[in-house]
Short mmCIF file of all heavy atoms in Angstrom, two decimals:
data_model
loop_
_atom_site.label_atom_id
_atom_site.label_comp_id
_atom_site.label_asym_id
_atom_site.label_seq_id
_atom_site.Cartn_x
_atom_site.Cartn_y
_atom_site.Cartn_z
N SER A 1165 169.01 -64.37 9.30
CA SER A 1165 170.16 -65.35 8.86
C SER A 1165 170.22 -65.28 7.40
O SER A 1165 171.52 -65.41 6.88
CB SER A 1165 169.86 -66.70 9.39
OG SER A 1165 168.77 -67.20 8.63
N ILE A 1166 169.21 -64.95 6.64
CA ILE A 1166 169.37 -64.80 5.18
C ILE A 1166 170.38 -63.78 4.78
O ILE A 1166 171.02 -63.94 3.70
CB ILE A 1166 167.96 -64.66 4.52
CG1 ILE A 1166 167.03 -65.86 4.65
CG2 ILE A 1166 168.10 -64.45 2.98
CD1 ILE A 1166 165.57 -65.61 4.30
N PHE A 1167 170.34 -62.72 5.53
CA PHE A 1167 171.14 -61.50 5.09
C PHE A 1167 172.31 -61.33 5.97
O PHE A 1167 172.97 -60.28 6.11
CB PHE A 1167 170.23 -60.28 5.11
CG PHE A 1167 169.01 -60.40 4.25
CD1 PHE A 1167 167.77 -60.69 4.84
CD2 PHE A 1167 169.09 -60.34 2.81
CE1 PHE A 1167 166.54 -60.74 4.13
CE2 PHE A 1167 167.88 -60.41 2.14
CZ PHE A 1167 166.73 -60.68 2.67
N GLN A 1168 172.61 -62.52 6.67
CA GLN A 1168 173.75 -62.27 7.68
C GLN A 1168 175.07 -62.65 7.04
O GLN A 1168 175.23 -63.84 6.30
CB GLN A 1168 173.52 -63.16 8.91
CG GLN A 1168 174.60 -63.05 9.99
CD GLN A 1168 174.51 -61.74 10.65
OE1 GLN A 1168 173.48 -61.26 10.91
NE2 GLN A 1168 175.69 -61.25 10.91
N PHE A 1169 176.14 -61.95 7.10
CA PHE A 1169 177.39 -62.23 6.67
C PHE A 1169 178.46 -62.14 7.89
O PHE A 1169 178.09 -61.64 8.85
CB PHE A 1169 177.96 -61.38 5.48
CG PHE A 1169 177.11 -61.58 4.25
CD1 PHE A 1169 175.90 -60.89 4.16
CD2 PHE A 1169 177.45 -62.49 3.44
CE1 PHE A 1169 175.06 -61.22 2.93
CE2 PHE A 1169 176.66 -62.79 2.23
CZ PHE A 1169 175.52 -62.05 2.05
N LYS A 1170 179.69 -62.50 7.68
CA LYS A 1170 180.67 -62.45 8.83
C LYS A 1170 180.79 -61.03 9.32
O LYS A 1170 180.99 -60.80 10.46
CB LYS A 1170 182.02 -63.02 8.26
CG LYS A 1170 182.08 -64.52 8.16
CD LYS A 1170 183.44 -64.95 7.70
CE LYS A 1170 183.63 -66.47 7.63
NZ LYS A 1170 184.91 -66.93 7.30
N GLN A 1171 180.75 -60.08 8.33
CA GLN A 1171 180.97 -58.80 8.80
C GLN A 1171 179.83 -58.09 9.39
O GLN A 1171 179.79 -56.89 9.81
CB GLN A 1171 181.61 -57.82 7.68
CG GLN A 1171 180.74 -57.84 6.48
CD GLN A 1171 180.91 -58.85 5.38
OE1 GLN A 1171 181.25 -59.98 5.76
NE2 GLN A 1171 180.74 -58.60 4.28
N GLY A 1172 178.67 -58.74 9.44
CA GLY A 1172 177.49 -58.24 9.95
C GLY A 1172 176.29 -58.52 9.00
O GLY A 1172 176.38 -59.18 8.13
N ASN A 1173 175.27 -57.87 9.49
CA ASN A 1173 173.85 -58.14 8.65
C ASN A 1173 173.81 -56.75 7.76
O ASN A 1173 173.82 -55.74 8.00
CB ASN A 1173 172.74 -58.19 9.54
CG ASN A 1173 171.58 -58.80 8.82
OD1 ASN A 1173 170.98 -58.23 7.91
ND2 ASN A 1173 171.08 -60.08 9.31
N VAL A 1174 173.62 -57.25 6.39
CA VAL A 1174 173.45 -56.18 5.35
C VAL A 1174 172.32 -55.31 5.48
O VAL A 1174 172.34 -54.15 4.88
CB VAL A 1174 173.64 -56.82 4.03
CG1 VAL A 1174 174.89 -57.52 3.78
CG2 VAL A 1174 172.45 -57.74 3.75
N LEU A 1175 171.22 -55.63 6.22
CA LEU A 1175 170.14 -54.90 6.35
C LEU A 1175 169.94 -54.21 7.55
O LEU A 1175 169.04 -53.43 7.88
CB LEU A 1175 168.85 -55.66 6.06
CG LEU A 1175 168.67 -56.33 4.68
CD1 LEU A 1175 167.36 -56.92 4.54
CD2 LEU A 1175 168.82 -55.25 3.61
N ASP A 1176 170.97 -54.27 8.61
CA ASP A 1176 171.00 -53.60 9.83
C ASP A 1176 171.27 -52.10 9.58
O ASP A 1176 171.72 -51.59 8.61
CB ASP A 1176 171.99 -54.07 10.85
CG ASP A 1176 171.50 -55.30 11.53
OD1 ASP A 1176 170.32 -55.55 11.58
OD2 ASP A 1176 172.35 -56.05 12.05
N GLY A 1177 170.68 -51.35 10.55
CA GLY A 1177 170.90 -49.83 10.46
C GLY A 1177 169.47 -49.12 9.83
O GLY A 1177 168.60 -49.79 9.56
N GLN A 1178 169.71 -47.98 9.50
CA GLN A 1178 168.65 -47.06 8.97
C GLN A 1178 168.52 -47.24 7.54
O GLN A 1178 168.47 -46.35 6.75
CB GLN A 1178 168.74 -45.61 9.45
CG GLN A 1178 168.70 -45.49 11.02
CD GLN A 1178 168.78 -44.10 11.39
OE1 GLN A 1178 169.33 -43.15 10.62
NE2 GLN A 1178 168.23 -43.74 12.59
N ARG A 1179 168.08 -48.41 7.13
CA ARG A 1179 167.96 -48.74 5.63
C ARG A 1179 166.52 -48.26 5.30
O ARG A 1179 165.72 -48.16 6.00
CB ARG A 1179 168.11 -50.23 5.49
CG ARG A 1179 169.42 -50.82 5.60
CD ARG A 1179 170.19 -50.51 4.27
NE ARG A 1179 171.21 -51.48 4.07
CZ ARG A 1179 171.93 -51.73 2.94
NH1 ARG A 1179 171.56 -51.03 1.75
NH2 ARG A 1179 172.86 -52.53 2.88
N ARG A 1180 166.47 -47.94 4.00
CA ARG A 1180 165.20 -47.68 3.25
C ARG A 1180 164.90 -48.76 2.38
O ARG A 1180 165.71 -48.94 1.32
CB ARG A 1180 165.15 -46.29 2.64
CG ARG A 1180 165.20 -45.17 3.53
CD ARG A 1180 165.15 -43.78 2.85
NE ARG A 1180 164.00 -43.71 2.00
CZ ARG A 1180 162.79 -43.37 2.43
NH1 ARG A 1180 162.53 -43.26 3.68
NH2 ARG A 1180 161.63 -43.26 1.64
N ILE A 1181 163.99 -49.67 2.69
CA ILE A 1181 163.73 -50.93 1.93
C ILE A 1181 162.38 -50.94 1.29
O ILE A 1181 161.37 -50.62 1.83
CB ILE A 1181 163.72 -52.17 3.08
CG1 ILE A 1181 165.15 -52.12 3.67
CG2 ILE A 1181 163.50 -53.38 2.25
CD1 ILE A 1181 165.25 -53.23 4.87
N LEU A 1182 162.47 -51.23 0.00
CA LEU A 1182 161.26 -51.35 -0.79
C LEU A 1182 161.06 -52.78 -1.20
O LEU A 1182 161.91 -53.39 -1.69
CB LEU A 1182 161.31 -50.59 -2.16
CG LEU A 1182 160.02 -50.54 -2.96
CD1 LEU A 1182 158.86 -49.69 -2.26
CD2 LEU A 1182 160.38 -49.94 -4.29
N VAL A 1183 159.94 -53.36 -0.82
CA VAL A 1183 159.49 -54.59 -1.03
C VAL A 1183 158.67 -54.77 -2.35
O VAL A 1183 157.57 -54.05 -2.45
CB VAL A 1183 158.72 -55.30 0.08
CG1 VAL A 1183 158.31 -56.82 -0.25
CG2 VAL A 1183 159.45 -55.25 1.44
N VAL A 1184 159.04 -55.43 -3.37
CA VAL A 1184 158.41 -55.49 -4.62
C VAL A 1184 157.88 -56.90 -5.02
O VAL A 1184 158.73 -57.82 -4.94
CB VAL A 1184 159.43 -54.89 -5.73
CG1 VAL A 1184 158.78 -55.15 -7.18
CG2 VAL A 1184 159.89 -53.63 -5.50
N ASP A 1185 156.74 -56.87 -5.37
CA ASP A 1185 155.97 -57.99 -5.87
C ASP A 1185 155.53 -57.84 -7.30
O ASP A 1185 155.14 -56.62 -7.60
CB ASP A 1185 154.75 -58.47 -4.99
CG ASP A 1185 154.36 -59.86 -5.12
OD1 ASP A 1185 155.03 -60.61 -5.87
OD2 ASP A 1185 153.36 -60.31 -4.53
N GLU A 1186 155.56 -58.76 -8.18
CA GLU A 1186 155.22 -58.48 -9.43
C GLU A 1186 153.80 -58.28 -9.63
O GLU A 1186 153.25 -57.34 -10.17
CB GLU A 1186 155.55 -59.76 -10.35
CG GLU A 1186 155.35 -59.27 -11.86
CD GLU A 1186 155.14 -60.60 -12.71
OE1 GLU A 1186 154.85 -61.66 -12.30
OE2 GLU A 1186 155.25 -60.39 -13.99
N ILE A 1187 152.90 -59.19 -9.03
CA ILE A 1187 151.45 -59.11 -9.17
C ILE A 1187 150.73 -59.30 -7.70
O ILE A 1187 151.16 -60.23 -7.10
CB ILE A 1187 150.91 -60.20 -10.14
CG1 ILE A 1187 151.43 -60.10 -11.50
CG2 ILE A 1187 149.31 -60.19 -10.22
CD1 ILE A 1187 150.94 -61.04 -12.47
N SER A 1188 150.09 -58.34 -7.37
CA SER A 1188 149.46 -58.36 -5.99
C SER A 1188 147.91 -58.61 -6.32
O SER A 1188 147.20 -57.90 -6.95
CB SER A 1188 149.65 -56.97 -5.20
OG SER A 1188 148.83 -57.07 -4.08
N GLU A 1189 147.45 -59.72 -5.66
CA GLU A 1189 146.00 -60.01 -5.75
C GLU A 1189 145.23 -59.67 -4.42
O GLU A 1189 144.56 -58.69 -4.44
CB GLU A 1189 145.77 -61.58 -6.09
CG GLU A 1189 146.40 -61.95 -7.43
CD GLU A 1189 146.34 -63.44 -7.66
OE1 GLU A 1189 145.69 -64.08 -6.75
OE2 GLU A 1189 146.94 -63.87 -8.54
N SER A 1190 145.62 -60.31 -3.27
CA SER A 1190 145.20 -59.91 -2.08
C SER A 1190 145.90 -58.90 -1.35
O SER A 1190 145.41 -58.13 -0.42
CB SER A 1190 144.82 -61.17 -1.14
OG SER A 1190 146.23 -61.68 -0.81
N GLY A 1191 147.22 -58.86 -1.74
CA GLY A 1191 148.16 -58.03 -0.94
C GLY A 1191 148.82 -58.61 0.25
O GLY A 1191 149.69 -58.04 0.88
N ASP A 1192 148.41 -59.79 0.48
CA ASP A 1192 148.90 -60.45 1.63
C ASP A 1192 150.41 -60.72 1.74
O ASP A 1192 151.03 -60.75 2.69
CB ASP A 1192 148.11 -61.77 1.97
CG ASP A 1192 146.70 -61.58 2.73
OD1 ASP A 1192 146.57 -60.34 3.10
OD2 ASP A 1192 146.04 -62.49 3.08
N THR A 1193 150.96 -61.21 0.46
CA THR A 1193 152.32 -61.48 0.41
C THR A 1193 153.16 -60.29 0.85
O THR A 1193 154.17 -60.41 1.50
CB THR A 1193 152.71 -62.00 -0.91
OG1 THR A 1193 151.71 -63.09 -1.40
CG2 THR A 1193 154.08 -62.36 -1.07
N GLN A 1194 152.79 -59.13 0.24
CA GLN A 1194 153.50 -57.95 0.56
C GLN A 1194 153.34 -57.45 2.09
O GLN A 1194 154.23 -57.12 2.68
CB GLN A 1194 153.03 -56.70 -0.30
CG GLN A 1194 153.24 -56.86 -1.81
CD GLN A 1194 152.59 -55.77 -2.50
OE1 GLN A 1194 151.46 -55.92 -2.82
NE2 GLN A 1194 153.33 -54.72 -2.90
N ARG A 1195 152.06 -57.69 2.64
CA ARG A 1195 151.82 -57.39 3.99
C ARG A 1195 152.80 -58.22 5.00
O ARG A 1195 153.46 -57.61 5.84
CB ARG A 1195 150.41 -57.60 4.35
CG ARG A 1195 149.48 -56.57 3.81
CD ARG A 1195 148.07 -56.69 4.28
NE ARG A 1195 146.99 -56.03 3.59
CZ ARG A 1195 146.23 -56.55 2.50
NH1 ARG A 1195 146.35 -57.86 2.28
NH2 ARG A 1195 145.51 -55.94 1.83
N ILE A 1196 152.69 -59.46 4.78
CA ILE A 1196 153.51 -60.36 5.76
C ILE A 1196 155.01 -60.19 5.49
O ILE A 1196 155.80 -60.14 6.47
CB ILE A 1196 153.17 -61.84 5.63
CG1 ILE A 1196 153.87 -62.58 6.71
CG2 ILE A 1196 153.46 -62.40 4.28
CD1 ILE A 1196 153.40 -62.18 8.15
N ALA A 1197 155.47 -59.98 4.23
CA ALA A 1197 156.85 -59.67 4.02
C ALA A 1197 157.31 -58.38 4.62
O ALA A 1197 158.34 -58.21 5.37
CB ALA A 1197 157.12 -59.62 2.46
#
C-alpha cells in the first residue's frame, strides 16, 4: 500500500531493487527489509 497508486503499484514487475541502510550493525534491518 505504501507504493500503490491509482495506475498501479510502482514496484510491480521485474524491478531491480537495492535496499540501502546508512549504518549496519547486526544487519537485521536490511535482512527484514
Side-chain angles (χ1 to χ4, degrees):
S1165 68
I1166 296 173
F1167 305 105
Q1168 185 70 40
F1169 293 88
K1170 284 185 177 180
Q1171 61 270 34
N1173 199 294
V1174 296
L1175 296 186
D1176 276 339
Q1178 295 183 337
R1179 288 281 207 163
R1180 289 183 58 79
I1181 300 172
L1182 184 68
V1183 179
V1184 173
D1185 199 3
E1186 187 204 19
I1187 299 174
S1188 175
E1189 296 175 9
S1190 67
D1192 275 2
T1193 306
Q1194 291 173 283
R1195 290 189 192 98
I1196 190 59

